[in-house]
Amino acid sequence: MAIPKDIRIDLPPEGIPKRWYNLAADIGQLEPPLNPGTRKPASPEDFEAIFCKEIIRQEGSAERYIDIPEEVRDNLVYLNRPAPLQRAYRLERSLKTPAKIYFKREDMSPLGSHKGNTALAQAYFNAEAGIHTLTTETGAGQWGTALAMVSNLFDIDCTVFMVRGSFEQKPTRKALMRTYGATVHASPSPQTEFGKKVLKEHPETTGSLGIAISEACEMAAKDPNICYSLGSVLNHVMLHQTVIGQETMEQMRIGGIEPDYLIACAGGGSNFGGFAFPMLGEKIQGRTDCQFIAAESKAAPSLTEGEFKYDFGDTAGFTPLLMMYTLGQEFIPKGIHAGGLRYHGMAPLVSAAMDKGLITARAYEQLETFEAGMAFARTEGMVPAPESCHAVKAAIDIALECKEKKEEKTIVFCMSGHGMLDLYGYEQYLDGTMQDSSV
Ligand SMILES: *Cc1c(COP(=O)(O)O)cnc(C)c1O
């Protein structure tokens, strides 16, 4: 048998998109973020203590396209962009489904996930603004790793506040960030006033993402040459990630692929948004009937069980209030391996799309997602990240529905990352010691 043409559709380096697509231009008026003190719409100045001007401009922009600076495009090559679009023939065969399954390979980045796409853009704009250090938080470690690596490309320093529990349990992630030159603190840390306060009250705490965000913001707010960087949720992050969806659309055009379903997992919403928004723009214009599915964890089911309302982005209530699907700022999800899906809220742009009925969501238990990940690894050869296993699970479910109904649909999903640093999760699944993730 000849190698099928659509087994893998590659684009040349020039295929890296020239502009980012902004869904805010097409989705209608968004509810603005609110200042946490006054509860009035936040002004750009409210963000200046922690973000540089260009990032703030992008955050509030309603322009449909924003040019990607030449230097950002040049450096995206180092993240292995453009990423291939691949067909999962062996998975299709094992499922005996008439459906076609394609996946976009964000796992091919040297960082192991899609997160570098926005890290790179954010590091560039901050370096341009004369910022010498970026601070951030990290839970599982993917985001900290991404920011640590790209900081080298623009000669800036990177300080990561890593949730203490992960800091102690995931020494390889810490080693990776330090390899890239980042300074990594276990959070809560004695480096900040807030960290000191928490440590005094709860010396044994394993920390939380909320505390780590507060520490990273405090460090940035205190020094005009230090800015804070966030890896998901905000509009500018969704924007930077749209290179994924634009490349995918070009690859689908080349391969003559007309998708019936676009699927991605959703934690804060950035790989889903980046993958789906360019095509969702087409749907809003009436040019496609494609359905969009966000796959989330039952441990933090913001889209399927949350409320659409104003809520804080962090636990302490320091950040502006965002209009989003949320489980509440104090919601503490169960500890699952898909650390990137343990967030109480959802990106305002993804939330708005959900509220308008443009997308749907499905939530999954931990065990069934690892089962899907195993099936994928054993047929296609690559081991999906625990987060990505949620998208794999949704794709398999739909492929089986197609089999039932004898429908030859086309499913395209986003493989947001690989699981080679999460093998402990696979080990637990194989040993039968893994638990489910229900609330
Ligand atoms: C962080 C992460 C996610 C979840 O974050 P989003 O902002 O929702 O994309 C999903 N997959 C992987 C591999 C991640 O690292």
Side-chain angles (χ1 to χ4, degrees):
M1 190 182 88
I3 297 173
K5 276 209 183 65
D6 65 350
I7 185 80
R8 207 175 89 181
I9 301 171
D10 282 305
L11 296 175
E14 312 83 72
I16 293 175
K18 293 199 166 62
R19 47 196 196 172
W20 290 302
Y21 168 70
N22 186 4
L23 184 70
D26 290 317
I27 200 163
Q29 189 71 42
L30 289 172
E31 302 292 339
L34 304 181
N35 177 299
T38 62
R39 305 246 167 170
K40 298 237 168 68
S43 66
E45 293 77 49
D46 288 344
F47 295 98
E48 274 176 14
I50 55 168
F51 291 131
C52 70
K53 285 217 169 76
E54 178 56 23
I55 293 291
I56 298 170
R57 190 188 74 78
Q58 292 175 8
E59 185 59 26
S61 169
E63 286 170 84
R64 183 166 289 114
Y65 296 105
I66 293 177
D67 286 341
I68 304 179
E70 212 43 49
E71 251 189 283
V72 172
R73 287 188 76 230
D74 291 350
N75 281 292
L76 281 168
V77 172
Y78 292 95
L79 302 183
N80 276 336
R81 302 219 77 82
L85 180 69
Q86 195 162 322
R87 180 151 172 202
Y89 275 106
R90 289 178 50 89
L91 177 66
E92 288 170 20
R93 250 177 261 146
S94 78
L95 298 172
K96 301 191 173 64
T97 176
K100 295 177 185 157
I101 306 174
Y102 295 88
F103 60 112
K104 177 68 170 169
R105 299 210 54 184
E106 292 303 308
D107 61 285
M108 302 252 305
S109 162
L111 305 172
S113 81
H114 66 289
K115 290 205 169 68
N117 300 328
T118 184
L120 180 50
Q122 293 190 44
Y124 169 78
F125 290 119
N126 278 287
E128 283 291 286
I131 297 304
H132 65 57
T133 299
L134 281 173
T135 66
T136 197
E137 74 289 334
T138 200
Q142 287 107 319
W143 171 241
T145 301
L147 199 68
M149 185 271 190
V150 300
S151 295
N152 294 315
L153 301 175
F154 300 108
D155 252 334
I156 48 184
D157 292 332
C158 176
T159 297
V160 182
F161 290 90
M162 186 174 190
V163 176
R164 163 149 294 144
S166 307
F167 186 90
E168 282 159 7
Q169 278 164 22
K170 304 198 168 184
T172 51
R173 291 274 183 190
K174 189 179 25 172
L176 191 51
M177 287 185 266
R178 291 175 60 212
T179 299
Y180 285 132
T183 306
V184 187
H185 300 297
S187 167
S189 79
Q191 310 292 322
T192 66
E193 294 310 313
F194 186 70
K196 280 186 222 162
K197 179 166 164 267
V198 178
L199 278 176
K200 201 163 157 210
E201 287 164 14
H202 312 280
E204 302 299 324
T205 182
T206 50
S208 73
L209 217 44
I211 296 168
I213 294 177
S214 306
E215 286 202 278
C217 288
E218 182 188 317
M219 188 175 160
K222 273 191 194 147
D223 185 332
N225 296 312
I226 301 181
C227 273
Y228 167 70
S229 179
L230 190 66
S232 189
V233 182
L234 296 179
N235 299 351
H236 67 271
V237 180
M238 306 294 126
L239 182 77
H240 301 156
Q241 291 292 359
T242 59
V243 291
I244 307 174
Q246 293 183 81
E247 284 176 12
T248 306
M249 279 173 68
E250 175 62 9
Q251 287 159 320
M252 292 192 297
R253 193 190 62 73
I254 291 170
I257 300 160
E258 284 183 24
D260 297 294
Y261 299 95
L262 247 51
I263 300 169
C265 68
S270 74
N271 89 89
F272 176 82
F275 177 67
F277 286 177
M279 197 68 182
L280 195 57
E282 293 294 293
K283 175 142 177 172
I284 293 170
Q285 308 295 339
R287 291 197 279 259
T288 174
D289 282 335
C290 180
Q291 293 186 49
F292 301 83
I293 303 171
E296 58 182 10
S297 167
K298 285 241 188 208
S302 55
L303 286 172
T304 50
E305 291 178 43
E307 250 186 278
F308 189 47
K309 64 175 188 187
Y310 272 110
D311 195 11
F312 291 99
D314 64 338
T315 315
F318 289 161
T319 67
L321 289 132
L322 302 173
M323 186 66 180
M324 60 182 176
Y325 276 90
T326 176
L327 298 157
Q329 87 195 80
E330 278 163 25
F331 180 84
I332 297 177
K334 251 179 92 167
I336 51 166
H337 290 283
L341 303 189
R342 292 178 74 236
Y343 186 62
H344 67 272
M346 184 54 66
L349 276 170
V350 174
S351 296
M354 181 79 182
D355 184 53
K356 289 181 195 299
L358 292 166
I359 64 169
T360 57
R362 298 184 181 195
Y364 297 105
E365 292 285 357
Q366 177 156 259
L367 278 164
E368 59 186 350
T369 61
F370 270 89
E371 188 184 350
M374 299 288 303
F376 196 88
R378 288 177 182 189
T379 50
E380 295 297 322
M382 66 104 12
V383 179
E387 293 85 358
S388 316
C389 285
H390 292 69
V392 177
K393 169 65 180 160
I396 290 179
D397 276 6
I398 290 185
L400 292 175
E401 287 164 29
C402 290
K403 178 174 163 182
E404 196 91 338
K405 297 188 224 154
K406 300 198 167 51
E407 287 178 338
E408 220 176 287
K409 301 270 184 178
T410 299
I411 301 163
V412 186
F413 76 89
C414 184
M415 182 64 77
S416 56
H418 70 63
M420 294 309 281
L421 293 176
D422 303 282
L423 290 175
Y424 178 58
Y426 280 89
E427 187 178 35
Q428 279 198 333
Y429 177 85
L430 290 161
D431 290 348
T433 54
M434 177 174 280
Q435 294 190 341
D436 258 337
S437 38
S438 293
V439 184

